Amino acid sequence: MNIINFINRFPDESSCVEFIRQKRGQAGIVCKRCDCTKHYWLANKKSFQCSSCSFRTSIKSGTVMENSNLPIRTWLLAMTFITATKKGFSASELQRQLGMKRYEPVFRMYHKLRKVMGKRDDIYRLEDMVEYDEAFVGQATKSPNKLKRGRGSQKRSIVAVMAESTVLEDLETGKSDKSCRYFKMKKIKNLEAKTAQNLVREFIDPNSVLQTDMSTTFSDLSDCIDVHVKEISGTEKGHFNLKWVHIAISNLKKHLQTYHMISERMMQNYLDEFCYKLNRRYFGQKLFDRLIIAAIYPYWHDCG
Ligand SMILES: [Zn+2]
């Protein structure tokens, strides 16, 4: 969605409220107190009222906007900007585009949106053939002595990168190549075998063929996955290489340069936005509507 579409579609706050009301109504509201699904709309309270026990669910409750005082229109406009580009916005650039006086609410809003992107992607496991590698990302500080301590300190983070990657063979030439589908990126604390085992268990289907390098991190994955192949990059066939994770890591590093500074604490959020957009790279203009679903129903399984 571009800015002209946005202005036409959402001319004021009430059009935004109506839009969210409809979206929530389509999927159904469940009363937190009695599980009843029949609700009335109270326009002046911007709330759904349970038909059996009268419990009220505000329009923002249970969504990414819960506990936020910002108008819904500001949220929708932020989502428009964020989904309009494959690159990331810095929070100060987003603040400027939104015309907001204070930086802090924009910063918090953006990180909440990144979190729901991550939650959405966490619903899915990778399957078939999966490449897995680890990388150090984030800007290295020039002098270790100048590394700021405490909040906002910056050092390089270790990131585990996983990619679904399928071998395609050209029937005429017999040459093979690999095509990629979905990616996952997770900040990890260390390169220990246990860490890799936990990630594989959580995010990769056990029936997959897992491809890694020869690192000791991946020395014992037999309990987590059926087939584990160590990289044989020099072979003629070249089926088992880490082509797509290496491309993704290189693109991630370029992407993170957009940001002036990323604290280690927030790193996963940046990874989540990068991965969310990467996994939906062919969605184009539909990305806005997808993000709306993620923002309203962080745990709803039906739609990607
Ligand atoms: Zn109720």
Side-chain angles (χ1 to χ4, degrees):
M1 188 157 75
N2 61 39
I3 194 73
I4 302 285
N5 292 345
F6 180 87
I7 293 165
N8 290 333
R9 198 167 163 190
F10 303 113
D12 51 23
E13 179 67 5
S14 63
S15 59
C16 299
V17 171
E18 177 56 21
F19 173 72
I20 298 294
R21 182 188 77 77
Q22 277 185 18
K23 286 278 173 193
R24 297 200 62 174
Q26 279 165 13
I29 312 284
V30 180
C31 175
K32 268 190 202 166
R33 194 194 276 164
C34 75
D35 287 342
C36 173
T37 53
K38 197 175 172 212
H39 286 76
Y40 302 105
W41 174 243
L42 299 179
N44 57 343
K45 301 279 183 208
K46 292 182 191 162
S47 294
F48 300 93
Q49 181 164 309
C50 173
S51 65
S52 66
C53 78
S54 299
F55 183 81
R56 285 177 191 169
T57 305
S58 86
I59 188 147
K60 289 178 177 172
S61 158
T63 76
V64 72
M65 300 176 280
E66 188 162 9
N67 302 323
S68 163
N69 294 324
L70 297 176
I72 291 178
R73 193 162 186 256
T74 303
W75 281 90
L76 295 183
L77 185 55
M79 288 189 242
T80 301
F81 285 126
I82 291 167
T83 56
T85 166
K86 281 182 184 159
K87 293 179 184 169
F89 261 95
S90 68
S92 56
E93 177 62 11
L94 188 60
Q95 178 196 6
R96 206 175 64 82
Q97 296 287 348
L98 294 171
M100 287 179 61
K101 277 187 187 147
R102 291 178 55 224
Y103 173 81
E104 184 75 0
V106 180
F107 180 82
R108 270 189 280 126
M109 171 169 61
Y110 201 167
H111 276 294
K112 281 180 184 172
L113 286 169
R114 289 183 175 120
K115 281 210 169 86
V116 293
M117 293 180 194
K119 276 183 189 162
R120 172 62 43 179
D121 270 348
D122 280 350
I123 292 171
Y124 310 101
R125 276 176 145 190
L126 301 183
E127 50 187 33
D128 296 334
M129 295 185 77
V130 180
E131 300 173 20
Y132 180 155
D133 202 3
E134 287 144 344
F136 287 86
V137 302
Q139 292 153 339
T141 37
K142 281 186 184 118
S143 155
N145 297 332
K146 286 185 181 163
L147 193 74
K148 278 202 282 174
R149 298 278 164 204
R151 194 175 176 220
S153 79
Q154 182 172 22
K155 55 178 183 176
R156 286 160 84 76
S157 307
I158 319 171
V159 176
V161 179
M162 295 159 260
E164 280 182 351
S165 158
T166 309
V167 178
L168 300 175
E169 220 150 310
D170 188 319
L171 292 175
E172 282 179 17
T173 64
K175 280 188 180 169
S176 60
D177 200 359
K178 295 169 94 183
S179 76
C180 62
R181 291 208 311 164
Y182 298 112
F183 292 81
K184 280 194 190 291
M185 296 184 178
K186 296 286 166 190
K187 183 172 93 73
I188 49 176
K189 288 205 175 90
N190 53 51
L191 297 172
E192 288 168 17
K194 184 95 189 146
T195 307
Q197 287 164 4
N198 289 340
L199 277 185
V200 170
R201 271 200 199 96
E202 191 170 356
F203 295 116
I204 301 177
D205 183 280
N207 300 312
S208 308
V209 175
L210 181 71
Q211 307 160 76
T212 67
D213 62 19
M214 312 291 272
S215 152
T216 50
T217 308
F218 309 116
S219 55
D220 188 13
L221 293 172
S222 50
D223 286 349
C224 325
I225 201 107
D226 278 357
V227 186
H228 176 201
V229 188
K230 308 266 174 83
E231 183 178 29
I232 321 167
S233 50
T235 59
E236 282 253 307
K237 291 198 170 178
H239 282 187
F240 301 113
N241 57 52
L242 301 173
K243 175 183 169 179
W244 285 112
V245 283
H246 289 160
I247 292 173
I249 287 167
S250 141
N251 289 339
L252 172 69
K253 286 179 176 173
K254 269 181 236 152
H255 172 84
L256 294 178
Q257 286 168 4
T258 315
Y259 306 103
H260 174 59
M261 202 194 79
I262 297 174
S263 70
E264 222 204 342
R265 202 167 59 89
M266 294 295 194
M267 177 57 83
Q268 186 60 52
N269 295 350
Y270 292 91
L271 298 176
D272 286 343
E273 180 184 4
F274 180 76
C275 243
Y276 182 88
K277 289 183 178 175
L278 184 59
N279 288 338
R280 290 157 188 79
R281 56 200 175 278
Y282 304 121
F283 279 34
Q285 304 257 318
K286 285 185 198 146
L287 194 56
F288 173 83
D289 291 286
R290 292 298 179 171
L291 183 55
I292 291 288
I293 291 166
I296 297 178
Y297 294 102
Y299 299 104
W300 198 33
H301 280 233
D302 269 15
C303 297

